[in-house]
Amino acid sequence: DIQMTQSPSSLSASVGDRVTITCQASQDISNYLNWYQQKPGKAPKLLIYDASNLETGVPSRFSGSGSGTDFTFTISSLQPEDIATYYCQQYDNVPLTFGGGTKVEIK
Amino acid sequence: EVQLVESGGGLVQPGRSLRLSCAASGFSFDDYAVHWVRQAPGKGLEWVSGISWNSGSTDYADSVKGRFFISRDNAKNSLYLQMTSLRAEDTALYYCAKAIVPATNGPIDSWGQGTLVTVSS
């Protein structure tokens, strides 16, 4: 199974800050990676697919990059409504596997 | 608009069985793979099982293999998860999720709101 190591597990930042989350795969997954946002009590929402493509309707302050084993998710200017937990997920192989999540809070 | 509505959750004793259902609408259900993903209280996301567009391929997490069985009825736009020999560690919110490809090894783009399964005596 492909293991996804996501870091940090939590972070606190100020409104307007640039926020970066990393995800490392245990083997090469090309660009077969999604990033999801999950707000408390809600289902996950797809933000980024194929590692770097922004889902329709998602604000441009969200972005993703990387390929192979190392991936990065960035919020260019943190907004209060971005408070959530963010997950990476690989779909190169089943079982599909998720990172452990990053809880983003406002400082 | 894609809609996925799960049902069938509840409180069940260890060792018993439960069947979850997911009613899909707003898209051509038989064109896409669909999955079950669960989230234990306060924990992260765990993929449980997936089924290809025509039921030709089914996949399971090791944690549920041999106990859970996924199926779909394209005529009814419905996905199912038959859960047997339930354990306390199966307690979670179970999400139905749609892929954007027919095969199970593809990205998920839509989720239901989940149905809660609690395994306890």
Side-chain angles (χ1 to χ4, degrees):
Chain A
D1 298 359
I2 299 174
Q3 308 303 317
M4 304 302 294
T5 303
Q6 189 175 337
S7 62
S9 56
S10 66
L11 66 89
S12 182
S14 299
V15 172
D17 281 356
R18 183 180 185 88
V19 168
T20 300
I21 299 168
T22 64
C23 189
Q24 186 172 57
S26 60
Q27 65 188 65
D28 189 338
I29 59 169
S30 185
N31 67 331
Y32 300 136
L33 185 100
N34 280 349
W35 289 96
Y36 298 96
Q37 175 193 65
Q38 187 179 33
K39 295 184 177 180
K42 299 294 186 181
K45 174 187 175 183
L46 178 64
L47 299 182
I48 303 285
Y49 64 96
D50 292 347
S52 60
N53 294 313
L54 197 66
E55 176 73 341
T56 302
V58 173
S60 59
R61 64 180 180 273
F62 296 102
S63 65
S65 65
S67 67
T69 61
D70 295 302
F71 301 87
T72 300
F73 172 81
T74 300
I75 307 173
S76 61
S77 177
L78 185 66
Q79 300 301 304
E81 60 266 32
D82 300 337
I83 299 315
T85 300
Y86 293 84
Y87 295 93
C88 61
Q89 180 231 338
Q90 68 80 22
Y91 49 89
D92 181 51
N93 272 316
V94 289
L96 308 182
T97 46
F98 293 86
T102 297
K103 187 174 184 179
V104 175
E105 298 175 321
I106 296 287
K107 192 181 294 183
Chain B
E1 180 192 0
V2 172
Q3 284 203 334
L4 300 163
V5 180
E6 303 91 338
S7 61
L11 175 63
V12 61
Q13 293 178 328
R16 303 298 290 264
S17 299
L18 202 62
R19 189 195 196 207
L20 305 184
S21 299
C22 172
S25 61
F27 65 103
S28 184
F29 182 72
D30 54 6
D31 280 346
Y32 302 101
V34 277
H35 300 265
W36 290 100
V37 178
R38 69 185 180 184
Q39 187 168 36
K43 302 296 184 182
L45 300 168
E46 179 190 16
W47 176 82
V48 172
S49 181
I51 185 167
S52 63
W53 66 284
N54 63 352
S55 303
S57 176
T58 57
D59 296 287
Y60 299 92
D62 286 345
S63 57
V64 307
K65 202 171 291 183
R67 300 188 299 122
F68 289 12
F69 303 94
I70 192 171
S71 62
R72 65 189 293 165
D73 185 337
N74 286 346
K76 295 183 178 179
N77 288 348
S78 293
L79 173 70
Y80 306 101
L81 186 68
Q82 180 69 45
M83 304 186 294
T84 67
S85 302
L86 282 162
R87 306 167 180 168
E89 54 264 36
D90 295 319
T91 293
L93 186 64
Y94 284 73
Y95 291 105
C96 169
K98 168 193 166 291
I100 66 168
V101 296
T104 54
N105 62 326
I108 291 171
D109 69 338
S110 302
W111 303 66
Q113 289 305 304
T115 187
L116 182 63
V117 173
T118 303
V119 183
S120 175
S121 54

